[in-house]
Amino acid sequence: AYFSATGNTKGIAEQIAGLTGGDLYEIIPAEPYTDEDLDFGDSQSRTSLEIDDPDARPEISSEAISISEYAALYLGYPIWHGQAPRILSTFAESYDFDGLTIIPFCTSGGSGIGSSAETLAEQAGSGRWLDGERFSAGASRETVEDWIDSLVLDAAGQ
C-alpha cells in the first residue's frame, strides 16, 4: 500500500511489488494534490497546513482493501516536513492490523524516516510494525532488493 503525490513513492512501491510478488494498493486522496498544494516552502500551502494540524485526516477515495488476507504489508509514503502525510494517518486509523506485520518505507530528497513509522503505529494501535527505511526517488532495484533481503520475516511474513 502506498501514497505518492509526485510518483517517487509509487516507483519504489512498484519495485517492492515486483521483487516480492505482492499486490499494489494506491492510497488515493479524494482531493488530489496540485503543484501549489505541494509547495513546501509556502506555510499556507495545503501540505503545510495539513502537517501543522495533527488532527487533519484527508479523505481517501480508493476502495477499501481487505488486509486480513495478508501476512505483511509494505506501507509507503513521502516525507513531508519530516512526517508522513496526514492521509497516512487516515489509512492507519481505518484498518485493524492485528496479526499483520507492517513494513514502512518512505521517499525523501533528504529527510530520514524519523519517527513517522512510530507515529503511524501508534495511530493504528495494532499490528507488528518494523523499523522503516528511507529511499531516494531514484533508488536502484538492487538497493530496494538488498533492503527487502535484510528484513527478518518468517515464512508467514511475520
Side-chain angles (χ1 to χ4, degrees):
Y2 69 93
F3 166 69
S4 186
T6 63
N8 293 335
T9 304
K10 178 181 181 177
I12 302 298
E14 289 173 342
Q15 286 189 50
I16 291 170
L19 289 163
T20 63
D23 298 328
L24 277 176
Y25 172 78
E26 183 177 5
I27 300 167
I28 301 171
E31 181 184 338
Y33 289 88
T34 66
D35 289 342
E36 292 80 20
D37 293 337
L38 298 170
D39 183 353
F40 300 104
D42 178 358
S43 65
Q44 295 303 305
S45 72
R46 178 176 166 201
T47 53
S48 297
L49 294 172
E50 285 179 1
I51 287 297
D52 288 345
D53 180 0
D55 296 323
R57 296 296 183 269
E59 185 178 343
I60 296 171
S61 70
S62 35
E63 289 188 30
I65 183 175
S66 175
I67 63 172
S68 61
E69 63 192 73
Y70 299 98
L73 174 77
Y74 289 85
L75 183 59
Y77 50 91
I79 291 292
W80 290 356
H81 296 288
Q83 302 176 50
R86 297 290 183 217
I87 196 165
L88 269 293
S89 299
T90 306
F91 182 82
E93 293 171 351
S94 298
Y95 291 93
D96 178 0
F97 296 97
D98 195 39
L100 192 64
T101 297
I102 300 88
I103 309 157
F105 67 95
C106 71
T107 56
S108 172
S111 298
I113 197 164
S115 62
S116 64
E118 294 166 9
T119 300
L120 291 171
E122 289 172 13
Q123 292 168 341
S126 63
R128 176 177 167 247
W129 290 70
L130 301 185
D131 292 336
E133 183 68 29
R134 176 222 166 254
F135 294 98
S136 61
S140 71
R141 180 178 175 91
E142 181 181 9
T143 297
V144 176
E145 186 171 26
D146 287 348
W147 171 65
I148 291 169
D149 290 346
S150 76
L151 296 171
V152 180
L153 302 174
D154 65 20
Q158 304 279 323

